[in-house]
Amino acid sequence: MAGIELRGLTKSFAGQDVIRGVSLTVAQGEFCVIVGPSGCGKSTLLRLIAGLEEATSGTIAIGGRDVTRLDPWDRGLAMVFQSYALYPHMSVRDNMAFGLRTARVAEAEVARKVADAARMLRLEGLLDRRPAALSGGQRQRVAIGRAIVRDPAAFLFDEPLSNLDASLRADTRVELAALHRALGATMVYVTHDQVEAMTMADRIVVLDGGRVRQKGSPRDLYERPADTFVAQFLGSPRMTLIPVDVQDGQVVLPGGGRLSAPWAGLAQVGLRAEHARITAPGGGVLSGELIAAEYLGATLSVLVRVADGLTVAALAPPHLRITPGERVGIAIAAADLHPFAADGRRIDG
Ligand SMILES: Nc1ncnc2c1ncn2[C@@H]1O[C@H](COP(=O)(O)OP(=O)(O)OP(=O)(O)O)[C@@H](O)[C@H]1O
Ligand SMILES: [Mg+2]
């Protein structure tokens, strides 16, 4: 397996810049997840790596070899798409073997590779079926099997699970993570499902408007988002951003509550729902009207309107009995706040 190195990569379509200077090193064996809003360039970036699109400028190296101008089949990568496009008239076995046979691999070798992949993906009992007789998750595993048998230098996945229903997606996610460990393969995986990103990634790359906003481990990005975009992109419920004043070295929150704040240039603070503790009215630094309380079993997800146009998301213990319309307080520890400047950049490094 090989690492992937992108240097100053750009792509424009008809004069419109879609990828605007992406530099990224994916280490050998790394599971790198690319996330970002629809249209930010995730698929385009993956297609550039695969060679399905030609870079406008910049370079792409795979395993230390410059492949920027090589055709897709000379790059040694395997790509798995959201729509898995299996051949409907062929059995699972023949679907998986097709690429190898086209490449004139000896039939004994083909049989061995298909058997290995089928065992790894738990498709052994399904090899003689046609795709139409498989579930969505099984079809997706066949598409992955088709990639595995080629021993690619790296795998590229573009939202491979988004056609599956929630429980199948969760199962397949776990299987893919296990497959990654078993193969020790370099994988670049595009998704807009943040649970997939958080659970599978060694490293997450947040893309926005064709630029990298931040890259790092799921923990880095969640606990120290570099800006308000990343802060609000990862995490559910979304992080609440609260505009603040700073007076006499203290943060003044809407409604007048104060917390001590060591940060110069502070304009807004970010608050994760799990750090907002619901109290009796007057018992915290914020207060307001409860506008929603969703019982989720393990937790109670609530929204509190603390000022005009400002609603704070909080997670409360499930046994808390509160009803919309009630007034509640919100307690916050200053250490849990994420400090941001007016331009959205994180202040404390
Ligand atoms: N062949 C093309 N010609 C012109 N514009 C394109 C082409 N392919 C993509 N684009 C544009 O490039 C931008 C990025 O598209 P891309 O498919 O990479 O987004 P994405 O991040 O994968 O979005 P999604 O999450 O919806 O799949 C979009 O504005 C899209 O319209
Ligand atoms: Mg896409």
Side-chain angles (χ1 to χ4, degrees):
M1 286 294 160
I4 298 173
E5 187 158 358
L6 313 180
R7 282 286 158 260
L9 203 59
T10 71
K11 176 66 184 177
S12 27
F13 290 109
Q16 202 192 334
D17 298 335
V18 170
I19 299 296
R20 303 163 189 251
V22 170
S23 294
L24 174 68
T25 303
V26 183
Q28 181 171 324
E30 185 177 0
F31 199 124
C32 176
V33 174
I34 298 173
V35 296
S38 186
C40 73
K42 302 181 295 296
S43 295
T44 303
L45 188 59
L46 213 59
R47 292 168 59 80
L48 284 167
I49 299 172
L52 299 172
E53 301 285 356
E54 198 184 334
T56 303
S57 65
T59 60
I60 303 166
I62 297 168
R65 181 173 69 123
D66 188 329
V67 301
T68 315
R69 303 289 155 207
L70 292 189
D71 287 327
W73 47 86
D74 293 328
R75 298 189 182 195
L77 303 174
M79 189 152 170
V80 180
F81 299 91
Q82 174 180 0
S83 58
Y84 12 85
L86 301 176
Y87 299 108
H89 57 286
M90 286 185 195
S91 66
V92 166
R93 185 193 317 278
D94 290 344
N95 262 284
M96 296 209 314
F98 184 80
L100 296 176
R101 288 183 179 139
T102 309
R104 304 194 182 285
V105 174
E107 199 53 37
E109 175 84 353
V110 172
R112 188 182 59 76
K113 288 191 159 176
V114 170
D116 282 351
R119 189 168 344 101
M120 202 173 279
L121 294 164
R122 294 190 289 108
L123 290 168
E124 291 149 302
L126 306 172
L127 285 170
D128 295 313
R129 289 208 204 160
R130 297 270 171 98
L134 300 177
S135 74
Q138 291 165 338
R139 279 179 219 169
Q140 192 54 285
R141 296 215 294 273
V142 177
I144 294 167
R146 210 166 43 175
I148 290 177
V149 295
R150 296 176 44 208
D151 291 330
F155 289 84
L156 308 177
F157 293 96
D158 193 354
E159 309 209 27
L161 309 185
S162 55
N163 279 341
L164 308 181
D165 73 35
S167 82
L168 203 50
R169 204 156 63 211
D171 292 348
T172 315
R173 192 176 76 216
V174 173
E175 283 168 10
L176 256 180
L179 185 72
H180 174 247
R181 284 192 299 274
L183 294 172
T186 307
M187 294 186 170
V188 183
Y189 188 102
V190 165
T191 182
H192 58 241
D193 181 321
Q194 53 166 299
V195 177
E196 283 177 23
M198 296 294 282
T199 56
M200 296 200 288
D202 293 316
R203 201 150 54 114
I204 298 178
V205 177
V206 181
L207 206 61
D208 177 37
R211 287 199 179 86
V212 174
R213 281 272 185 174
Q214 190 175 4
K215 48 195 173 196
S217 70
R219 195 177 283 273
D220 286 344
L221 266 59
Y222 191 80
E223 294 180 0
R224 296 187 62 78
D227 58 33
T228 51
F229 179 88
V230 175
Q232 292 203 300
F233 192 79
L234 291 176
S236 177
R238 239 171 16 134
M239 181 189 282
T240 304
L241 293 175
I242 306 171
V244 295
D245 284 328
V246 177
Q247 282 171 16
D248 315 324
Q250 289 197 309
V251 179
V252 183
L253 299 163
R258 286 173 177 246
L259 288 168
S260 66
W263 307 293
L266 184 73
Q268 46 188 333
V269 293
L271 176 65
R272 295 252 183 235
E274 62 270 32
H275 295 142
R277 192 167 56 80
I278 298 296
T279 66
V285 284
L286 288 168
S287 62
E289 179 190 343
L290 186 74
I291 56 173
E294 295 176 320
Y295 175 75
L296 298 172
T299 184
L300 194 62
S301 176
V302 308
L303 291 174
V304 180
R305 183 161 49 230
V306 299
D308 272 351
L310 180 61
T311 300
V312 174
L315 293 177
H319 53 78
L320 198 67
R321 293 302 158 98
I322 44 178
T323 44
E326 249 177 75
R327 285 197 71 76
V328 296
I330 297 175
I332 302 169
D336 289 329
L337 293 175
H338 297 259
F340 297 110
D343 65 3
R345 252 180 260 244
R346 187 179 193 93
I347 296 175
D348 61 343

